[in-house]
Amino acid sequence: MHSLHIKMSATRYRRFLKLCEEWPRDESKKGRDLGTFLRQRVASAFREGENTQISDPEKCDQMYESLARINSNVYKDNFPRAKDTSFTGVTVEECRMLLATGNMQQMDEEKKGLWKTLMDRFSSKPEDAPPEKTVK
């Protein structure tokens, strides 16, 4: 029975490795890429490689099947879209460009700049205001 568990663990491990090899990486999403995240999770879950004991084999198999369906575009094929844009009219390529890490960092910096401007404007005291009195 023990050798059967090891064989099943090895099979699960190899299936996840194959999925990781097939899953594309998006270099424009440094630190936010799903393919990279998947590889990290598989490495963490299978620390002992083929010898890893899976605590919940059914859940592990469900996770694999779900990820495999996403990777093989089952939902895209079963539910084709009428247009290649979202409700905003943004195309997939435009969306990919907007969500690239460099653009996201630039937007974060702009938000910080706006936030700082608002904080400075609304939190600073008028220069000729009398000093605050302390209540005793």
Side-chain angles (χ1 to χ4, degrees):
M1 185 71 176
H2 182 67
S3 64
L4 178 62
H5 285 296
I6 291 174
K7 286 181 184 178
M8 291 302 294
S9 290
T11 300
R12 284 184 181 95
Y13 176 66
R14 284 189 221 112
R15 286 181 7 169
F16 271 100
L17 282 183
K18 184 169 177 14
L19 182 65
C20 286
E21 288 173 10
E22 294 172 358
W23 200 285
R25 286 190 200 191
D26 188 341
E27 296 300 323
S28 72
K29 293 183 181 172
K30 294 278 187 208
R32 300 177 302 117
D33 176 53
L34 185 57
T36 301
F37 177 76
L38 176 64
R39 287 163 178 80
Q40 291 167 346
R41 288 296 305 258
V42 168
S44 175
F46 290 93
R47 284 195 173 106
E48 297 176 35
E50 293 183 354
N51 298 322
T52 302
Q53 295 295 313
I54 305 297
S55 61
D56 190 345
E58 188 175 319
K59 186 176 177 182
C60 180
D61 292 343
Q62 287 173 347
M63 180 66 68
Y64 171 80
E65 293 301 328
S66 294
L67 291 168
R69 282 192 298 271
I70 292 169
N71 189 46
S72 62
N73 289 319
V74 166
Y75 301 106
K76 181 181 177 191
D77 296 342
N78 287 344
F79 305 100
R81 299 177 62 141
K83 298 180 180 179
D84 284 337
T85 62
S86 68
F87 71 95
T88 62
V90 176
T91 66
V92 172
E93 192 53 43
E94 290 168 332
C95 187
R96 186 172 286 127
M97 187 179 75
L98 287 169
L99 294 175
T101 299
N103 289 335
M104 296 295 287
Q105 288 170 340
Q106 183 179 353
M107 285 188 280
D108 282 346
E109 289 302 316
E110 288 172 8
K111 276 192 247 175
K112 287 177 192 171
L114 176 61
W115 181 250
K116 183 175 180 348
T117 302
L118 290 172
M119 289 300 292
D120 289 347
R121 184 174 299 154
F122 293 111
S123 66
S124 61
K125 298 176 190 153
E127 292 178 20
D128 50 347
E132 291 181 27
K133 296 180 182 174
T134 55
V135 179
K136 293 184 181 180

